[in-house]
Amino acid sequence: MPALDEGSYLLMPTTMSHASIGEAMDVLRKQDMAINAITEVEPAVGKIGRVESPLDPAPILMIETIITYASEIKTDANGRVLTFAYNEQEDAFFRDERNNHIPDGDGRPYRQWPDLQLGNSFGDQAGKYQILVTVIF
């Protein structure tokens, strides 16, 4: 499990008390697929059950998923904003032969999150994904 850092979210749904281990694992797999389909999310990691430790009292029916959000603007390993060559006429970033952005100190930062379509906040967009998750389960 990754660390629960700032910008992370801990999701802890439960299954029905009579669910088998196979059914709980199926729910976990579908949940992870649905969450990882969201562009703003770096890989979500979930677990069911507990380790042999008195510090982890989670029963089999409890799923623990850590969701880590990607930064809105592309940054380097030290958290500095990266800028890339930008074509003003075409309103698009230049790309190399491998379709990667071309670094440029005088360029523009690259926004990794798509423009929100349902409203003015991430919460409005998250509502769309909640419907997706509800339909899967």
Side-chain angles (χ1 to χ4, degrees), residues 117-130:
Q117 299 169 355
L118 298 178
N120 296 325
S121 70
F122 179 75
D124 292 336
Q125 190 77 358
K128 179 174 98 176
Y129 295 117
Q130 169 135 14

Side-chain angles (χ1 to χ4, degrees), residues 94-102:
F94 286 109
R95 295 180 180 265
D96 62 15
E97 61 278 350
R98 294 184 185 155
N99 204 28
N100 295 323
H101 293 103
I102 300 171

Side-chain angles (χ1 to χ4, degrees), residues 1 9-16 22-38 41-49 60-68 129-137:
M1 296 291 285
Y9 181 74
L10 179 61
L11 177 65
M12 295 180 64
T14 58
T15 61
M16 299 299 287
E23 188 174 352
M25 289 177 62
D26 189 48
V27 169
L28 174 64
R29 183 181 54 78
K30 288 178 181 177
Q31 172 186 289
D32 285 351
M33 284 175 40
I35 294 169
N36 285 322
I38 301 171
V41 172
E42 290 185 345
V45 179
K47 78 168 190 77
I48 58 171
I60 292 295
L61 59 96
M62 182 182 291
I63 299 172
E64 298 172 0
T65 302
I66 295 181
I67 303 167
T68 305
Y129 295 117
Q130 169 135 14
I131 294 167
L132 170 72
V133 172
T134 303
V135 168
I136 288 175
F137 300 117

Side-chain angles (χ1 to χ4, degrees), residues 47-111:
K47 78 168 190 77
I48 58 171
R50 62 177 149 227
V51 298
E52 293 295 324
S53 166
L55 301 176
D56 188 8
I60 292 295
L61 59 96
M62 182 182 291
I63 299 172
E64 298 172 0
T65 302
I66 295 181
I67 303 167
T68 305
Y69 293 102
S71 64
E72 183 176 0
I73 304 294
K74 195 167 197 165
T75 58
D76 65 10
N78 296 321
R80 289 183 290 242
V81 174
L82 298 173
T83 55
F84 301 93
Y86 189 77
N87 185 337
E88 298 286 341
Q89 288 80 21
E90 295 183 18
D91 195 28
F93 286 92
F94 286 109
R95 295 180 180 265
D96 62 15
E97 61 278 350
R98 294 184 185 155
N99 204 28
N100 295 323
H101 293 103
I102 300 171
D104 181 1
D106 296 324
R108 285 191 180 182
Y110 179 72
R111 186 168 188 261

